[in-house]
């Protein structure tokens, strides 16, 4: 029984480590996407301004 409990605890520890890693990867992806959004907003503003000048 102790071996089964030890195995379960070890499995849970691995699952938690994997989840922690996945969370960090998702946070990095979110940061990257937010940066892309900011860049696209700035580019969109630039294009809108140039469009107004051309009119």
């Amino acid at each position: 029984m102790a071996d089964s409990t030890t195995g379960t605890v070890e499995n849970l520890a691995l699952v938690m480590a994997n989840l922690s890693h996945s969370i960090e990867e998702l946070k990095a992806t979110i940061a990257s996407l937010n940066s892309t959004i900011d860049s696209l907003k700035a580019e969109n503003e630039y294009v809108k301004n140039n469009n107004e000048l051309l009119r």
Side-chain angles (χ1 to χ4, degrees):
M1 185 68 139
D3 288 337
S4 176
T5 302
T6 301
T8 301
V9 170
E10 288 171 354
N11 286 340
L12 286 175
L14 287 173
V15 168
M16 292 297 292
N18 287 337
L19 285 175
S20 180
H21 181 70
S22 294
I23 289 169
E24 292 307 314
E25 286 180 337
L26 289 170
K27 286 180 180 179
T29 300
I30 289 168
S32 176
L33 289 171
N34 282 331
S35 177
T36 300
I37 288 168
D38 291 341
S39 176
L40 289 171
K41 283 180 179 178
E43 183 178 348
N44 185 48
E45 191 63 31
Y46 174 79
V47 169
K48 284 182 0 184
N49 289 338
N50 281 338
N51 189 33
E52 287 299 319
L53 291 172
L54 290 171
R55 285 181 193 200

